[in-house]
Amino acid sequence: MSKSRKISRIQQDNIIQINKKKCIGCTGCAFTCAERTGISVLKAVDNGKRTVDPKQGTFGGSGCIYCGQCTLICPTTAINVRNDVALVKEALNSGKYLIATAAPALKATLGEEFNLPIGTNVAGKIAPSAKKLGFQHVFDTDFGADMTVLEEGTELIKRISSQENLPMFTSCCPAWVRYAELFHPEILKNISTSKSPQQMMGASIKTYFADTYNVLPSNIFTLSIKPCTAKKYEAKRDEMGRDGYRDIDVVLTVREYAELLKEKGIDITAIPDEKSDSFMGDYTGAAVIFGSSGGVMQATLRTVTYYLKGDVSKIESIEFNTIEGYHDIKESTVNLGGQEKKVAIVSGLSEIDKFLKSDKWKEYVFIEVMACLGGCINGGGTPRIQKKSEINEKLCIACGTCIENCPVGAIEYNVRGRAENNKEKCVGCTLCSKICRANAIKMIYYDKATGKSLDENYIKLRSDVLKDIDKSSEIRISDKNENLQNMYKNYMGDPDGEKAQKLLHTTYQDKSAELSVNTTRNKKKN
């Protein structure tokens, strides 16, 4: 691969790519972007063939936050995340010291790429599969999640004590951080300065690990395996490296990692379980639930309550209730240091603009935000779920809209003059369900491993894997992670201290000027 080709591969604005030859013009990606982010980056175009383009010519200029939800919905993979498998293959032959780190969500999602039922725990398959590829060390990013809890929890206590820059928003979701930088830079001072678990792992590997094992940071190649497409963007941010090297060299999504394993003939179902390396791999139950919406909140509150000598058991029973006027934003009240404080969870960004434009958000001290509905376990790089449309004949008004617009001709009139879907032809693009004015069409999700329709939401099935691991863990408070305690004692110093600030914290910038003129959101503001 030429040098110029390498450079083009890591440009931020080609993280999401469109293959017009594969596009069937269903516009499911555009619908999904508008519904799930409220940004509406894509528009339908017809130049002899119906397809989609970014509204302002580029994804970056159109306000894309690289969440990748559009790639999950596309039935033909015409819109997809940039594939960086070739860069990892180069690294495998580079002679560098190879280290892989895997997100909590992999435990609940990687198995689906190997025909295991949704909700299968494959925690023991990640380390051995990476070592078969040639990685010398494999760590769980869960260790970085515990690290994030210590840093973020300490930061929250300091902010509450000083009554400055409250509420504090979580910072572990790069799509959310980019959203704030683009569309609501006025709240950047409210976002935690703590880096995400991915970036804390990268920084620690190339400092703490490098110093301990006497390896030059520049000679270490760090692969991060993630359910998130925006992590590719985050890893290349200017702040995420030092001394001429990046903390994380390459990010692969769950789908890309599975692709690499299959290409190398590695079947995770055929290898014995193995734990990740313990030096930076041990983690608590609190770290595992980072992969699910509400997990960061729960994990952080456990440690904050522990620091403040409160009753941690009461954190386990916190109930979050939907805020009036919202569907995906919930709130609760917790006792922190003897005082009742309100906290909130935002799952998906469809309502975040409304939330931030109101004064409602100012009522809280701590707000978790995940750009993807359900959290990382439903990230843009997770396995795609098979879908088919189902038509309720009783509700069908025989208008013919779905028949006329189905891009694959899967819907026809039946003998009773009502629309009927041919499931053999249906590709699950969701267009018919979006445009049906009578709400007669809904999407049915299927487990590819079993071929059966899902009685439970696939997000819940994945989330339950992480919650079960947490419940069965002996240690469930991040501060009690012994290996993490050793790192702080021997290298990092105090959480949110001088060295931690240098390596584990970051800054944000007002990036609203990056938006091209006359974007949809700018029009809404005027």
Side-chain angles (χ1 to χ4, degrees):
M1 184 180 291
S2 68
K3 184 177 180 180
S4 61
R5 177 61 175 159
K6 281 186 182 179
I7 293 173
S8 69
R9 288 292 299 279
I10 62 172
Q11 290 175 350
Q12 292 176 348
D13 200 51
N14 71 356
I15 291 173
I16 306 297
Q17 302 176 341
I18 303 173
N19 184 335
K20 297 296 184 74
K21 292 181 180 180
K22 297 173 73 174
C23 181
I24 59 174
C26 70
T27 64
C29 54
F31 274 112
T32 298
C33 178
E35 286 182 350
R36 298 187 183 178
T37 69
I39 301 171
S40 190
V41 170
L42 296 162
K43 65 179 179 181
V45 294
D46 194 340
N47 297 316
K49 177 186 178 183
R50 187 176 179 84
T51 182
V52 294
D53 275 331
K55 287 183 175 178
Q56 301 302 319
T58 66
F59 280 98
S62 302
C64 181
I65 57 174
Y66 309 121
C67 69
Q69 287 297 304
C70 57
T71 72
L72 286 182
I73 205 72
C74 179
T76 64
T77 68
I79 188 165
N80 210 350
V81 63
R82 183 188 68 217
N83 192 304
D84 291 324
V85 168
L87 298 180
V88 179
K89 289 162 67 175
E90 284 182 9
L92 292 174
N93 298 313
S94 67
K96 285 197 170 188
Y97 202 108
L98 306 174
I99 299 178
T101 177
L106 259 78
K107 299 173 179 60
T109 57
L110 180 60
E112 294 170 34
E113 290 290 326
F114 291 86
N115 205 36
L116 293 174
I118 298 172
T120 301
N121 182 350
V122 294
K125 307 298 183 182
I126 300 166
S129 65
K131 288 186 176 180
K132 277 185 173 293
L133 286 172
F135 284 86
Q136 283 101 316
H137 286 283
V138 183
F139 299 130
D140 287 289
T141 310
D142 310 49
F143 183 86
D146 276 332
M147 210 185 309
T148 299
V149 169
L150 266 62
E151 294 299 324
E152 202 165 65
T154 302
E155 185 182 2
L156 177 60
I157 292 173
K158 289 181 178 180
R159 291 198 190 196
I160 292 175
S161 177
S162 66
Q163 287 297 297
E164 293 180 347
N165 299 328
L166 292 173
M168 187 177 84
F169 290 91
T170 56
S171 56
C172 52
C173 174
W176 149 242
V177 170
R178 177 167 166 79
Y179 177 93
E181 289 181 320
L182 287 173
F183 302 115
H184 285 279
E186 72 277 4
I187 70 160
L188 293 180
K189 67 181 184 300
N190 294 91
I191 298 179
S192 167
T193 61
S194 300
K195 290 180 179 178
S196 71
Q198 168 177 281
Q199 296 307 134
M200 286 198 185
M201 283 297 291
S204 299
I205 287 170
K206 293 199 175 179
T207 56
Y208 172 54
F209 175 90
D211 288 352
T212 303
Y213 281 78
N214 197 27
V215 183
L216 287 173
S218 58
N219 197 42
I220 296 175
F221 174 86
T222 47
L223 167 65
S224 180
I225 312 166
K226 291 289 175 286
C228 173
T229 54
K231 288 294 179 183
K232 292 175 181 278
Y233 162 78
E234 180 184 48
K236 300 304 176 185
R237 287 179 65 113
D238 293 339
E239 316 88 60
M240 301 304 177
R242 66 200 59 75
D243 301 328
Y245 64 79
R246 311 302 303 174
D247 288 328
I248 296 295
D249 292 293
V250 174
V251 175
L252 292 186
T253 64
V254 179
R255 297 196 300 265
E256 288 175 279
Y257 183 61
E259 175 190 329
L260 177 60
L261 292 178
K262 292 173 184 177
E263 185 178 330
K264 296 293 185 178
I266 301 170
D267 182 352
I268 67 168
T269 66
I271 56 179
D273 287 0
E274 182 182 329
K275 288 185 177 181
S276 298
D277 298 307
S278 62
F279 181 74
M280 288 179 63
D282 287 350
Y283 53 86
T284 68
V288 179
I289 55 175
F290 255 61
S292 183
S293 178
V296 179
M297 174 68 68
Q298 173 71 227
T300 304
L301 289 180
R302 287 180 195 175
T303 287
V304 168
T305 301
Y306 176 71
Y307 282 163
L308 297 176
K309 302 186 185 305
D311 187 351
V312 178
S313 65
K314 290 186 177 180
I315 299 299
E316 300 288 334
S317 58
I318 292 176
E319 291 187 8
F320 282 84
N321 300 307
T322 304
I323 299 174
E324 184 177 356
Y326 297 89
H327 294 289
D328 300 319
I329 305 180
K330 299 180 179 181
E331 65 180 4
S332 188
T333 301
V334 297
N335 188 293
L336 298 177
Q339 296 183 332
E340 297 296 307
K341 302 290 185 181
K342 292 181 69 176
V343 295
I345 295 170
V346 182
S347 179
L349 297 183
S350 62
E351 299 172 315
I352 192 68
D353 190 54
K354 172 185 172 183
F355 185 61
L356 295 177
K357 285 180 177 177
S358 72
D359 288 331
K360 185 69 179 175
W361 66 280
K362 298 177 182 179
E363 298 178 8
Y364 308 93
V365 296
F366 190 37
I367 302 175
E368 176 198 303
V369 184
M370 293 288 183
C372 297
L373 188 65
C376 305
I377 49 167
N378 190 36
T382 57
R384 296 181 178 90
I385 304 297
Q386 187 180 65
K387 301 174 292 297
K388 301 286 184 181
S389 64
E390 184 174 90
I391 302 174
N392 184 337
E393 188 175 312
K394 292 181 179 179
L395 295 178
C396 178
I397 61 174
C399 66
T401 304
C402 58
I403 296 173
E404 295 166 5
N405 287 278
C406 179
V408 294
I411 307 176
E412 297 177 343
Y413 286 114
N414 61 20
V415 293
R416 292 173 294 281
R418 299 291 185 268
E420 186 172 88
N421 182 44
N422 183 333
K423 291 189 177 182
E424 293 299 318
K425 291 183 178 181
C426 179
V427 294
C429 73
T430 75
L431 177 60
C432 56
S433 66
K434 305 296 185 188
I435 62 177
C436 178
R437 292 168 291 179
N439 294 319
I441 306 177
K442 66 177 181 178
M443 302 304 300
I444 304 297
Y445 290 79
Y446 292 86
D447 190 327
K448 288 186 289 186
T450 63
K452 297 179 180 179
S453 61
L454 294 171
D455 294 328
E456 289 188 272
N457 185 302
Y458 72 91
I459 297 177
K460 182 182 183 302
L461 292 172
R462 292 172 175 175
S463 179
D464 285 346
V465 173
L466 305 186
K467 291 178 181 178
D468 288 344
I469 295 174
D470 172 38
K471 290 177 182 177
S472 63
S473 298
E474 289 185 18
I475 302 175
R476 303 178 66 211
I477 298 175
S478 295
D479 187 69
K480 295 186 177 183
N481 182 328
E482 187 175 346
N483 281 347
L484 191 60
Q485 290 174 348
N486 291 335
M487 186 188 79
Y488 276 92
K489 179 182 178 181
N490 300 323
Y491 190 86
M492 204 65 69
D494 293 330
D496 202 27
E498 184 178 350
K499 195 166 191 176
Q501 275 287 332
K502 180 181 178 181
L503 296 177
L504 307 179
H505 289 254
T506 188
T507 57
Y508 311 109
Q509 294 85 38
D510 178 348
K511 296 184 178 180
S512 57
E514 293 183 10
L515 295 171
S516 298
V517 294
N518 297 323
T519 61
T520 300
R521 186 167 290 276
N522 284 338
K523 288 180 180 179
K524 289 181 179 179
K525 288 182 177 181
N526 293 335

